Amino acid sequence: QVQLVESGGGLVQPGGSLRLSCAVTGSILRFVYMAWFRQAPGKERELVASITSGSSSNYLDSVKGRFTISRDNAKNTVYLQMNSLKPEDTAVYYCNVNLILLTGPPPYNYWGRGTQVTVSS
């Protein structure tokens, strides 16, 4: 019943910026955390950034100081602002959320389909 829709990916030159959005719909009681992962060609999927219900955030070392994760509670949307982009940031970026439904436990984990980010000159 929960759906994640990602947007904001695209092609950007090194040093440029993009903002990814992930809108979550469904019968949601509360988010436990929201996160962005990425997977580059030939590499394992890795956690880029996460944010808890208390707005505590964590980042992959290689993106610290360049990326910022945030959320809009009213819109059930999580964002990833990406600045000073580098070619090595090129990957498919996936939204991931862990949430509690109105019907109660577990919590449940959901993934978006991914959005391509390409950093190239």
Side-chain angles (χ1 to χ4, degrees):
Q1 307 295 338
V2 173
Q3 187 173 356
L4 281 63
V5 179
E6 298 138 320
S7 62
L11 175 64
V12 65
Q13 295 185 38
S17 298
L18 287 172
R19 189 177 76 156
L20 306 183
S21 299
C22 175
V24 186
T25 59
S27 300
I28 301 163
L29 176 65
R30 183 171 64 252
F31 288 93
V32 179
Y33 66 78
M34 309 177 86
W36 289 94
F37 287 74
R38 70 185 182 188
Q39 188 166 23
K43 292 188 176 181
E44 292 281 302
R45 187 172 297 188
E46 62 184 352
L47 177 64
V48 178
S50 63
I51 185 167
T52 69
S53 59
S55 296
S56 177
S57 59
N58 198 17
Y59 297 92
L60 183 68
D61 284 344
S62 62
V63 309
K64 287 181 179 177
R66 300 189 297 119
F67 291 11
T68 303
I69 189 169
S70 62
R71 67 172 187 263
D72 185 330
N73 292 330
K75 296 181 179 180
N76 285 342
T77 300
V78 62
Y79 304 94
L80 185 67
Q81 179 66 46
M82 304 184 295
N83 299 327
S84 301
L85 283 161
K86 304 175 180 180
E88 48 264 46
D89 295 317
T90 297
V92 177
Y93 284 71
Y94 298 91
C95 181
N96 172 241
V97 300
N98 190 260
L99 55 83
I100 298 171
L101 299 174
L102 292 175
T103 53
Y108 297 90
N109 193 254
Y110 296 93
W111 291 87
R113 292 184 177 182
T115 184
Q116 177 71 49
V117 172
T118 302
V119 185
S120 177
S121 58

